[in-house]
Amino acid sequence: MIKSIIERRSIRKYSPDEVTEEEVNALLEAAMYSPSSFNSRPWHFIVVRDPDKKEKLSKATPYSGPAAKAPLVIAVCADMKLAKRWVEDCSIAAEHILLQAVDLGLGGCWIQIYESELEGRDAEEYVKEILKIPENYRVLCLLSIGRPAEKKAAHSKEEFSKEKVHYEEF
Ligand SMILES: Cc1cc2nc3c(=O)[nH]c(=O)nc-3n(C[C@H](O)[C@H](O)[C@H](O)COP(=O)(O)O)c2cc1C
């Protein structure tokens, strides 16, 4: 099994150390290897390091707090002029980034933006405004990334539950 798949957990606490330019490039390169519907490759990524922007992003939903504390946030967006299956395409790209982060000794967390809200305010519209994202683009999620300041055990093998796997018929 691929080591980073086993070790990956959602990391929400980070040391203050910066994520280097080389590491950011490796994360984005990993995303670019993703499959996509009709090879449409609709993804766009916004690399955010500015503390003020990250603070604002952390207020997008009740669950976006990690964005304020992470040295790096990547917004995963889609160009709707290219997209055929933007949610699936961007989800795979986001997971590539999270797995590559583990391989680099970093940790990350998916922060849902698409179809999320805070007190009736649409999270996607809110993020689009902060990051000046044009009209014809969608925002799937934010990825908060940094050097882990918390340790989490891998999910146990018992979670590979036989009850969830079916052969030939349900
Ligand atoms: C689609 C999706 C949305 C998520 N949204 C959030 C979120 O908004 N905030 C957050 O802290 N974690 C979020 N998570 C992380 C989950 O809470 C986490 O994956 C789950 O609890 C399992 O823990 P693990 O990632 O450590 O295995 C999200 C994960 C996924 C796949």
Side-chain angles (χ1 to χ4, degrees):
M1 175 96 56
I2 298 170
K3 202 164 161 273
S4 56
I5 290 180
I6 299 172
E7 290 177 359
R8 186 216 58 80
R9 293 297 312 273
S10 291
I11 297 300
R12 300 181 178 88
K13 293 182 183 147
Y14 314 94
S15 82
D17 306 344
E18 281 304 318
V19 177
T20 67
E21 207 56 46
E22 289 73 29
E23 287 168 329
V24 173
N25 288 340
L27 295 172
L28 298 173
E29 205 180 321
M32 306 296 176
Y33 281 101
S34 304
S36 61
S37 176
F38 292 95
N39 200 26
S40 53
R41 310 172 67 76
W43 43 67
H44 279 245
F45 305 98
I46 306 173
V47 177
V48 183
R49 294 182 189 275
D50 176 66
D52 182 51
K53 284 201 185 78
K54 287 186 296 176
E55 181 64 34
K56 286 182 179 146
L57 291 174
S58 78
K59 307 227 159 46
T61 80
Y63 312 106
S64 50
K69 298 174 214 138
L72 176 75
V73 171
I74 299 176
V76 182
C77 314
D79 179 349
M80 298 310 285
K81 284 204 299 260
L82 298 177
K84 308 273 186 214
R85 301 278 181 199
W86 77 276
V87 173
E88 292 84 346
D89 298 341
C90 289
S91 296
I92 295 168
E95 180 66 354
H96 275 209
I97 292 174
L98 291 174
L99 291 174
Q100 181 62 49
V102 176
D103 195 62
L104 293 167
L106 302 168
C109 187
W110 181 305
I111 295 168
Q112 186 71 15
I113 295 301
Y114 161 65
E115 290 190 344
S116 298
E117 53 137 56
L118 177 63
E119 290 165 8
R121 183 197 62 200
D122 183 70
E124 204 183 335
E125 288 310 313
Y126 176 77
V127 169
K128 283 179 82 166
E129 201 174 309
I130 295 165
L131 300 180
K132 299 189 166 53
I133 298 170
E135 191 68 13
N136 57 314
Y137 288 74
R138 299 294 304 264
V139 187
L140 180 73
C141 64
L142 305 172
L143 302 173
S144 54
I145 294 169
R147 279 169 224 294
E150 62 176 338
K151 275 208 167 89
K152 287 186 174 177
H155 288 292
S156 79
K157 263 193 180 165
E158 280 65 58
E159 288 183 33
F160 181 82
S161 164
K162 295 226 159 41
E163 289 159 29
K164 301 247 176 132
V165 183
H166 311 269
Y167 297 94
E168 313 298 349
E169 290 181 349
F170 192 93

PDB file of all heavy atoms in Angstrom, residues 8-12 61-66 91 108-113 116 141 152-153 155, ligand 1:
ATOM      1  N   ARG A   8      -2.009   9.327   6.005  1.00  0.00           N
ATOM      2  CA  ARG A   8      -2.770  10.577   5.923  1.00  0.00           C
ATOM      3  C   ARG A   8      -3.874  10.671   6.967  1.00  0.00           C
ATOM      4  O   ARG A   8      -4.654   9.758   7.131  1.00  0.00           O
ATOM      5  CB  ARG A   8      -3.405  10.716   4.518  1.00  0.00           C
ATOM      6  CG  ARG A   8      -4.094  12.057   4.296  1.00  0.00           C
ATOM      7  CD  ARG A   8      -5.342  11.913   3.453  1.00  0.00           C
ATOM      8  NE  ARG A   8      -6.286  10.996   4.050  1.00  0.00           N
ATOM      9  CZ  ARG A   8      -7.124  11.308   5.067  1.00  0.00           C
ATOM     10  NH1 ARG A   8      -7.148  12.523   5.570  1.00  0.00           N
ATOM     11  NH2 ARG A   8      -7.946  10.389   5.579  1.00  0.00           N
ATOM     12  N   ARG A   9      -3.894  11.767   7.687  1.00  0.00           N
ATOM     13  CA  ARG A   9      -4.993  12.131   8.577  1.00  0.00           C
ATOM     14  C   ARG A   9      -5.252  13.620   8.388  1.00  0.00           C
ATOM     15  O   ARG A   9      -4.399  14.336   7.880  1.00  0.00           O
ATOM     16  CB  ARG A   9      -4.623  11.873  10.048  1.00  0.00           C
ATOM     17  CG  ARG A   9      -4.443  10.414  10.431  1.00  0.00           C
ATOM     18  CD  ARG A   9      -5.703   9.575  10.295  1.00  0.00           C
ATOM     19  NE  ARG A   9      -6.900  10.151  10.895  1.00  0.00           N
ATOM     20  CZ  ARG A   9      -7.257  10.000  12.177  1.00  0.00           C
ATOM     21  NH1 ARG A   9      -6.532   9.246  12.979  1.00  0.00           N
ATOM     22  NH2 ARG A   9      -8.357  10.574  12.645  1.00  0.00           N
ATOM     23  N   SER A  10      -6.404  14.090   8.804  1.00  0.00           N
ATOM     24  CA  SER A  10      -6.660  15.533   8.731  1.00  0.00           C
ATOM     25  C   SER A  10      -5.879  16.218   9.841  1.00  0.00           C
ATOM     26  O   SER A  10      -6.139  15.964  11.022  1.00  0.00           O
ATOM     27  CB  SER A  10      -8.155  15.815   8.874  1.00  0.00           C
ATOM     28  OG  SER A  10      -8.831  15.354   7.730  1.00  0.00           O
ATOM     29  N   ILE A  11      -4.940  17.065   9.464  1.00  0.00           N
ATOM     30  CA  ILE A  11      -4.107  17.788  10.428  1.00  0.00           C
ATOM     31  C   ILE A  11      -4.603  19.231  10.482  1.00  0.00           C
ATOM     32  O   ILE A  11      -4.651  19.928   9.461  1.00  0.00           O
ATOM     33  CB  ILE A  11      -2.613  17.707  10.014  1.00  0.00           C
ATOM     34  CG1 ILE A  11      -2.133  16.250  10.037  1.00  0.00           C
ATOM     35  CG2 ILE A  11      -1.747  18.606  10.899  1.00  0.00           C
ATOM     36  CD1 ILE A  11      -2.220  15.540  11.383  1.00  0.00           C
ATOM     37  N   ARG A  12      -4.962  19.660  11.686  1.00  0.00           N
ATOM     38  CA  ARG A  12      -5.548  21.000  11.864  1.00  0.00           C
ATOM     39  C   ARG A  12      -4.693  21.908  12.743  1.00  0.00           C
ATOM     40  O   ARG A  12      -5.059  23.050  12.994  1.00  0.00           O
ATOM     41  CB  ARG A  12      -6.957  20.879  12.461  1.00  0.00           C
ATOM     42  CG  ARG A  12      -7.918  20.082  11.577  1.00  0.00           C
ATOM     43  CD  ARG A  12      -9.317  20.007  12.174  1.00  0.00           C
ATOM     44  NE  ARG A  12     -10.243  19.280  11.312  1.00  0.00           N
ATOM     45  CZ  ARG A  12     -10.444  17.962  11.338  1.00  0.00           C
ATOM     46  NH1 ARG A  12      -9.773  17.216  12.201  1.00  0.00           N
ATOM     47  NH2 ARG A  12     -11.297  17.386  10.503  1.00  0.00           N
ATOM     48  N   THR A  61     -16.978  29.200   6.968  1.00  0.00           N
ATOM     49  CA  THR A  61     -17.980  28.253   7.470  1.00  0.00           C
ATOM     50  C   THR A  61     -17.678  28.006   8.954  1.00  0.00           C
ATOM     51  O   THR A  61     -16.626  28.414   9.443  1.00  0.00           O
ATOM     52  CB  THR A  61     -17.919  26.886   6.721  1.00  0.00           C
ATOM     53  OG1 THR A  61     -16.838  26.113   7.264  1.00  0.00           O
ATOM     54  CG2 THR A  61     -17.742  27.039   5.225  1.00  0.00           C
ATOM     55  N   PRO A  62     -18.542  27.281   9.655  1.00  0.00           N
ATOM     56  CA  PRO A  62     -18.237  26.973  11.059  1.00  0.00           C
ATOM     57  C   PRO A  62     -17.032  26.040  11.203  1.00  0.00           C
ATOM     58  O   PRO A  62     -16.531  25.852  12.307  1.00  0.00           O
ATOM     59  CB  PRO A  62     -19.516  26.276  11.556  1.00  0.00           C
ATOM     60  CG  PRO A  62     -20.578  26.619  10.569  1.00  0.00           C
ATOM     61  CD  PRO A  62     -19.895  26.836   9.263  1.00  0.00           C
ATOM     62  N   TYR A  63     -16.589  25.436  10.094  1.00  0.00           N
ATOM     63  CA  TYR A  63     -15.547  24.404  10.163  1.00  0.00           C
ATOM     64  C   TYR A  63     -14.273  24.804   9.430  1.00  0.00           C
ATOM     65  O   TYR A  63     -13.468  23.955   9.069  1.00  0.00           O
ATOM     66  CB  TYR A  63     -16.096  23.079   9.586  1.00  0.00           C
ATOM     67  CG  TYR A  63     -17.449  22.735  10.154  1.00  0.00           C
ATOM     68  CD1 TYR A  63     -18.610  22.870   9.391  1.00  0.00           C
ATOM     69  CD2 TYR A  63     -17.557  22.308  11.473  1.00  0.00           C
ATOM     70  CE1 TYR A  63     -19.852  22.579   9.941  1.00  0.00           C
ATOM     71  CE2 TYR A  63     -18.800  22.017  12.018  1.00  0.00           C
ATOM     72  CZ  TYR A  63     -19.947  22.166  11.249  1.00  0.00           C
ATOM     73  OH  TYR A  63     -21.172  21.875  11.798  1.00  0.00           O
ATOM     74  N   SER A  64     -14.110  26.078   9.150  1.00  0.00           N
ATOM     75  CA  SER A  64     -12.955  26.510   8.346  1.00  0.00           C
ATOM     76  C   SER A  64     -11.836  27.115   9.194  1.00  0.00           C
ATOM     77  O   SER A  64     -10.879  27.670   8.658  1.00  0.00           O
ATOM     78  CB  SER A  64     -13.404  27.478   7.250  1.00  0.00           C
ATOM     79  OG  SER A  64     -14.215  28.500   7.780  1.00  0.00           O
ATOM     80  N   GLY A  65     -11.929  26.954  10.515  1.00  0.00           N
ATOM     81  CA  GLY A  65     -10.929  27.495  11.436  1.00  0.00           C
ATOM     82  C   GLY A  65      -9.480  27.190  11.095  1.00  0.00           C
ATOM     83  O   GLY A  65      -8.616  28.069  11.230  1.00  0.00           O
ATOM     84  N   PRO A  66      -9.147  25.962  10.659  1.00  0.00           N
ATOM     85  CA  PRO A  66      -7.745  25.645  10.382  1.00  0.00           C
ATOM     86  C   PRO A  66      -7.085  26.585   9.356  1.00  0.00           C
ATOM     87  O   PRO A  66      -5.865  26.725   9.353  1.00  0.00           O
ATOM     88  CB  PRO A  66      -7.804  24.204   9.846  1.00  0.00           C
ATOM     89  CG  PRO A  66      -9.033  23.623  10.450  1.00  0.00           C
ATOM     90  CD  PRO A  66     -10.017  24.766  10.538  1.00  0.00           C
ATOM     91  N   SER A  91     -12.034  17.260  -6.713  1.00  0.00           N
ATOM     92  CA  SER A  91     -11.862  16.443  -5.506  1.00  0.00           C
ATOM     93  C   SER A  91     -10.627  15.554  -5.634  1.00  0.00           C
ATOM     94  O   SER A  91      -9.857  15.404  -4.676  1.00  0.00           O
ATOM     95  CB  SER A  91     -13.091  15.558  -5.269  1.00  0.00           C
ATOM     96  OG  SER A  91     -14.218  16.348  -5.009  1.00  0.00           O
ATOM     97  N   GLY A 108      -2.299  18.277   6.191  1.00  0.00           N
ATOM     98  CA  GLY A 108      -3.309  19.188   5.652  1.00  0.00           C
ATOM     99  C   GLY A 108      -4.705  18.785   6.029  1.00  0.00           C
ATOM    100  O   GLY A 108      -4.933  17.703   6.581  1.00  0.00           O
ATOM    101  N   CYS A 109      -5.619  19.681   5.734  1.00  0.00           N
ATOM    102  CA  CYS A 109      -7.029  19.411   6.013  1.00  0.00           C
ATOM    103  C   CYS A 109      -7.902  20.007   4.909  1.00  0.00           C
ATOM    104  O   CYS A 109      -7.681  21.130   4.466  1.00  0.00           O
ATOM    105  CB  CYS A 109      -7.423  20.009   7.365  1.00  0.00           C
ATOM    106  SG  CYS A 109      -9.098  19.542   7.872  1.00  0.00           S
ATOM    107  N   TRP A 110      -8.865  19.225   4.504  1.00  0.00           N
ATOM    108  CA  TRP A 110      -9.878  19.664   3.536  1.00  0.00           C
ATOM    109  C   TRP A 110     -10.874  20.553   4.268  1.00  0.00           C
ATOM    110  O   TRP A 110     -11.416  20.160   5.306  1.00  0.00           O
ATOM    111  CB  TRP A 110     -10.577  18.426   2.995  1.00  0.00           C
ATOM    112  CG  TRP A 110     -11.650  18.631   1.965  1.00  0.00           C
ATOM    113  CD1 TRP A 110     -12.764  19.402   2.048  1.00  0.00           C
ATOM    114  CD2 TRP A 110     -11.707  17.983   0.681  1.00  0.00           C
ATOM    115  NE1 TRP A 110     -13.511  19.284   0.916  1.00  0.00           N
ATOM    116  CE2 TRP A 110     -12.894  18.425   0.055  1.00  0.00           C
ATOM    117  CE3 TRP A 110     -10.878  17.070   0.010  1.00  0.00           C
ATOM    118  CZ2 TRP A 110     -13.261  17.974  -1.210  1.00  0.00           C
ATOM    119  CZ3 TRP A 110     -11.254  16.635  -1.250  1.00  0.00           C
ATOM    120  CH2 TRP A 110     -12.428  17.092  -1.847  1.00  0.00           C
ATOM    121  N   ILE A 111     -11.134  21.717   3.744  1.00  0.00           N
ATOM    122  CA  ILE A 111     -12.155  22.606   4.307  1.00  0.00           C
ATOM    123  C   ILE A 111     -13.217  22.807   3.225  1.00  0.00           C
ATOM    124  O   ILE A 111     -12.940  23.401   2.172  1.00  0.00           O
ATOM    125  CB  ILE A 111     -11.530  23.955   4.734  1.00  0.00           C
ATOM    126  CG1 ILE A 111     -10.532  23.724   5.877  1.00  0.00           C
ATOM    127  CG2 ILE A 111     -12.621  24.947   5.146  1.00  0.00           C
ATOM    128  CD1 ILE A 111      -9.660  24.920   6.188  1.00  0.00           C
ATOM    129  N   GLN A 112     -14.390  22.301   3.504  1.00  0.00           N
ATOM    130  CA  GLN A 112     -15.452  22.334   2.491  1.00  0.00           C
ATOM    131  C   GLN A 112     -15.965  23.760   2.280  1.00  0.00           C
ATOM    132  O   GLN A 112     -16.277  24.464   3.245  1.00  0.00           O
ATOM    133  CB  GLN A 112     -16.604  21.425   2.933  1.00  0.00           C
ATOM    134  CG  GLN A 112     -17.693  21.273   1.915  1.00  0.00           C
ATOM    135  CD  GLN A 112     -17.275  20.437   0.709  1.00  0.00           C
ATOM    136  OE1 GLN A 112     -16.272  19.732   0.744  1.00  0.00           O
ATOM    137  NE2 GLN A 112     -18.038  20.534  -0.361  1.00  0.00           N
ATOM    138  N   ILE A 113     -16.085  24.162   1.036  1.00  0.00           N
ATOM    139  CA  ILE A 113     -16.621  25.486   0.700  1.00  0.00           C
ATOM    140  C   ILE A 113     -17.881  25.359  -0.145  1.00  0.00           C
ATOM    141  O   ILE A 113     -18.909  25.983   0.126  1.00  0.00           O
ATOM    142  CB  ILE A 113     -15.551  26.339  -0.030  1.00  0.00           C
ATOM    143  CG1 ILE A 113     -14.369  26.619   0.911  1.00  0.00           C
ATOM    144  CG2 ILE A 113     -16.158  27.647  -0.560  1.00  0.00           C
ATOM    145  CD1 ILE A 113     -14.736  27.362   2.196  1.00  0.00           C
ATOM    146  N   SER A 116     -21.674  25.084   1.206  1.00  0.00           N
ATOM    147  CA  SER A 116     -21.545  25.339   2.649  1.00  0.00           C
ATOM    148  C   SER A 116     -21.955  26.774   2.934  1.00  0.00           C
ATOM    149  O   SER A 116     -21.947  27.621   2.035  1.00  0.00           O
ATOM    150  CB  SER A 116     -20.100  25.123   3.095  1.00  0.00           C
ATOM    151  OG  SER A 116     -19.719  23.793   2.870  1.00  0.00           O
ATOM    152  N   CYS A 141     -13.107  23.698  -2.395  1.00  0.00           N
ATOM    153  CA  CYS A 141     -12.628  23.602  -1.011  1.00  0.00           C
ATOM    154  C   CYS A 141     -11.369  24.429  -0.828  1.00  0.00           C
ATOM    155  O   CYS A 141     -10.774  24.898  -1.810  1.00  0.00           O
ATOM    156  CB  CYS A 141     -12.339  22.136  -0.645  1.00  0.00           C
ATOM    157  SG  CYS A 141     -11.010  21.378  -1.591  1.00  0.00           S
ATOM    158  N   LYS A 152      -1.447  12.009  14.792  1.00  0.00           N
ATOM    159  CA  LYS A 152      -2.658  11.181  14.760  1.00  0.00           C
ATOM    160  C   LYS A 152      -2.276   9.804  14.234  1.00  0.00           C
ATOM    161  O   LYS A 152      -1.555   9.706  13.238  1.00  0.00           O
ATOM    162  CB  LYS A 152      -3.700  11.807  13.837  1.00  0.00           C
ATOM    163  CG  LYS A 152      -4.358  13.037  14.420  1.00  0.00           C
ATOM    164  CD  LYS A 152      -5.476  13.494  13.516  1.00  0.00           C
ATOM    165  CE  LYS A 152      -6.236  14.633  14.148  1.00  0.00           C
ATOM    166  NZ  LYS A 152      -7.295  15.132  13.252  1.00  0.00           N
ATOM    167  N   ALA A 153      -2.806   8.796  14.899  1.00  0.00           N
ATOM    168  CA  ALA A 153      -2.534   7.433  14.446  1.00  0.00           C
ATOM    169  C   ALA A 153      -3.272   7.175  13.140  1.00  0.00           C
ATOM    170  O   ALA A 153      -4.337   7.761  12.897  1.00  0.00           O
ATOM    171  CB  ALA A 153      -2.995   6.455  15.511  1.00  0.00           C
ATOM    172  N   HIS A 155      -5.657   5.287  10.578  1.00  0.00           N
ATOM    173  CA  HIS A 155      -6.889   4.512  10.803  1.00  0.00           C
ATOM    174  C   HIS A 155      -6.518   3.041  10.916  1.00  0.00           C
ATOM    175  O   HIS A 155      -5.597   2.577  10.253  1.00  0.00           O
ATOM    176  CB  HIS A 155      -7.848   4.712   9.623  1.00  0.00           C
ATOM    177  CG  HIS A 155      -8.469   6.077   9.603  1.00  0.00           C
ATOM    178  ND1 HIS A 155      -9.367   6.498  10.556  1.00  0.00           N
ATOM    179  CD2 HIS A 155      -8.315   7.115   8.747  1.00  0.00           C
ATOM    180  CE1 HIS A 155      -9.747   7.746  10.277  1.00  0.00           C
ATOM    181  NE2 HIS A 155      -9.117   8.142   9.194  1.00  0.00           N
TER     182      HIS A 155
HETATM  183  C1  LIG B   1     -15.667  16.473   1.530  1.00  0.00           C
HETATM  184  C2  LIG B   1     -14.968  16.732   2.849  1.00  0.00           C
HETATM  185  C3  LIG B   1     -15.252  17.879   3.547  1.00  0.00           C
HETATM  186  C4  LIG B   1     -14.576  18.174   4.735  1.00  0.00           C
HETATM  187  N1  LIG B   1     -14.781  19.378   5.339  1.00  0.00           N
HETATM  188  C5  LIG B   1     -14.063  19.701   6.427  1.00  0.00           C
HETATM  189  C6  LIG B   1     -14.154  21.004   6.985  1.00  0.00           C
HETATM  190  O1  LIG B   1     -14.861  21.870   6.474  1.00  0.00           O
HETATM  191  N2  LIG B   1     -13.418  21.289   8.082  1.00  0.00           N
HETATM  192  C7  LIG B   1     -12.597  20.348   8.664  1.00  0.00           C
HETATM  193  O2  LIG B   1     -11.947  20.670   9.669  1.00  0.00           O
HETATM  194  N3  LIG B   1     -12.480  19.095   8.153  1.00  0.00           N
HETATM  195  C8  LIG B   1     -13.166  18.751   7.051  1.00  0.00           C
HETATM  196  N4  LIG B   1     -13.003  17.520   6.460  1.00  0.00           N
HETATM  197  C9  LIG B   1     -12.124  16.529   7.079  1.00  0.00           C
HETATM  198  C10 LIG B   1     -12.942  15.401   7.746  1.00  0.00           C
HETATM  199  O3  LIG B   1     -13.512  15.882   8.941  1.00  0.00           O
HETATM  200  C11 LIG B   1     -12.006  14.200   7.995  1.00  0.00           C
HETATM  201  O4  LIG B   1     -11.525  13.727   6.758  1.00  0.00           O
HETATM  202  C12 LIG B   1     -12.721  13.081   8.723  1.00  0.00           C
HETATM  203  O5  LIG B   1     -13.081  13.461  10.024  1.00  0.00           O
HETATM  204  C13 LIG B   1     -11.835  11.818   8.812  1.00  0.00           C
HETATM  205  O6  LIG B   1     -10.599  12.107   9.463  1.00  0.00           O
HETATM  206  P1  LIG B   1      -9.192  11.904   8.737  1.00  0.00           P
HETATM  207  O7  LIG B   1      -9.150  12.830   7.539  1.00  0.00           O
HETATM  208  O8  LIG B   1      -8.160  12.263   9.755  1.00  0.00           O
HETATM  209  O9  LIG B   1      -9.088  10.473   8.276  1.00  0.00           O
HETATM  210  C14 LIG B   1     -13.645  17.226   5.274  1.00  0.00           C
HETATM  211  C15 LIG B   1     -13.371  16.059   4.556  1.00  0.00           C
HETATM  212  C16 LIG B   1     -13.992  15.835   3.350  1.00  0.00           C
HETATM  213  C17 LIG B   1     -13.634  14.586   2.557  1.00  0.00           C
END
